Amino acid sequence: IIAALGTTFAMLAALLLLTQWLQLVDDASPIESGIKLIPVALAAAAASLLAPPLARVLGARAVLAGGLALAGVGLLAVGFGPDVLSYRLVLVAMLLVGTGTGSLAIASAMIMLGSPEDKAGNAGALEETSYELGGTLGVAVLGSISALVYRDRLSGSADLEQAGPEAAQHAQDSLGAAVATSEQLGLPGLAADAGAAFTQSLQTAGLVGGVLMLAVAAAVFVMTPQGTDISGSTH
């Protein structure tokens, strides 16, 4: 449950920000953005199929904690990336994240196999709740952090001052608003500054999310009994 909660906390917020980055900074259309994110889903699907066999060889604890750590490394790669991110770097990072989150198949097996049959429904409900709660908290907390970073970085833009107080406030609300304001007022520098500020906010979210994922991986490794078997027995 901790693995599911921590993963969705970091993942959903990162994907939400990444989708905006692809469209408004990397100039991809909505359809192109969706296509560019497909490899993440494919990596997660492939990893979820490979996780059970690997768990039988390496142990459930190692595969689950290792997968979460791999996802954390992917988020940190975005956080420590250059000021001008490229889709190639983002793709590699998201492939690591997708592959790492595939280990949650082990978490699901551990939750269900570790529960009595008459409590299986309760266990499934707790797992689903952990996904929903983690995603909601992640968007709220990491989204707020990224918004604060975005506003702070954009506040130093020279073009923002030229836009006037009302337009400047509107531009600081979101990247989309800044791009629209830039087009309306004929201030291309504002859109460029907003894109750079948003990239920095995305990287900050990546750093926070990556550190969180590594902490979750460590907690899961410590808390999971050594020799845990997803076939339903522990040694």
Side-chain angles (χ1 to χ4, degrees):
I1 288 176
I2 291 174
L5 184 70
T7 300
T8 52
F9 183 97
M11 276 287 298
L12 290 188
L15 287 176
L16 176 63
L17 296 172
L18 180 60
T19 301
Q20 296 180 61
W21 181 85
L22 285 170
Q23 295 183 43
L24 299 175
V25 179
D26 201 43
D27 294 327
S29 69
I31 293 179
E32 289 173 338
S33 298
I35 293 174
K36 287 183 175 182
L37 290 175
I38 287 177
V40 182
L42 293 178
S48 66
L49 295 176
L50 292 174
L54 281 176
R56 287 191 286 270
V57 176
L58 303 176
R61 180 173 73 164
V63 173
L64 178 56
L68 297 176
L70 188 65
V73 170
L75 291 174
L76 289 176
V78 173
F80 285 113
D83 292 340
V84 180
L85 288 178
S86 66
Y87 172 67
R88 180 177 298 179
L89 172 62
V90 170
L91 176 61
V92 172
M94 289 300 101
L95 284 175
L96 291 174
V97 172
T99 302
T101 55
S103 66
L104 287 179
I106 303 300
S108 295
M110 290 170 63
I111 289 173
M112 300 310 297
L113 292 173
S115 305
E117 290 185 7
D118 61 337
K119 299 293 185 181
N122 293 349
L126 285 172
E127 180 184 9
E128 183 62 27
T129 300
S130 68
Y131 284 122
E132 299 294 337
L133 180 61
T136 301
L137 290 175
V139 171
V141 176
L142 291 184
S144 297
I145 292 174
S146 65
L148 290 173
V149 173
Y150 168 75
R151 290 172 185 169
D152 179 66
R153 296 294 187 271
L154 186 58
S155 63
S157 170
D159 283 11
L160 184 68
E161 297 178 358
Q162 298 180 27
E166 184 176 350
Q169 180 62 44
H170 184 60
Q172 287 180 304
D173 286 340
S174 68
L175 176 60
V179 172
T181 301
S182 172
E183 294 175 351
Q184 292 171 0
L185 300 180
L187 296 172
L190 177 59
D193 291 341
F198 187 83
T199 299
Q200 291 178 328
S201 73
L202 171 63
Q203 291 179 304
T204 300
L207 288 174
V208 176
V211 170
L212 173 66
M213 289 297 296
L214 292 180
V216 170
V220 167
F221 187 81
V222 171
M223 296 174 66
T224 303
Q226 185 176 5
T228 296
D229 187 350
I230 58 172
S231 66
S233 62
T234 56
H235 304 291

